[in-house]
Amino acid sequence: MSERKHQCIHCSVESCRHLKKEQGICSLESIQVAPTPMAYSGDPADESMCQSYHSK
């Protein structure tokens, strides 16, 4: 990925240390999204998760 664009990552996971709660955004420049073990179940909540998550 040679060209980077300004991106805003919206988030509401209050237990994550990267959350800027007042703005509702992630303080990281980028995140890694990965499939969950329950991927392909058809339920959106089971399909993916933020692998950049770190608890407070």
Side-chain angles (χ1 to χ4, degrees):
M1 186 160 139
S2 61
E3 183 181 326
R4 291 189 177 234
K5 297 182 180 188
H6 178 71
Q7 182 170 285
C8 183
I9 303 165
H10 297 274
C11 184
S12 58
V13 180
E14 293 188 22
S15 63
C16 185
R17 79 170 75 156
H18 304 296
L19 175 65
K20 288 185 176 182
K21 188 174 180 178
E22 307 80 42
Q23 294 103 348
I25 60 171
C26 178
S27 63
L28 294 172
E29 185 176 306
S30 66
I31 62 168
Q32 178 68 36
V33 177
T36 66
M38 297 296 294
Y40 310 110
S41 73
D43 183 351
D46 291 339
E47 295 300 317
S48 65
M49 62 186 263
C50 178
Q51 290 233 290
S52 302
Y53 171 85
H54 290 100
S55 65
K56 291 182 180 179

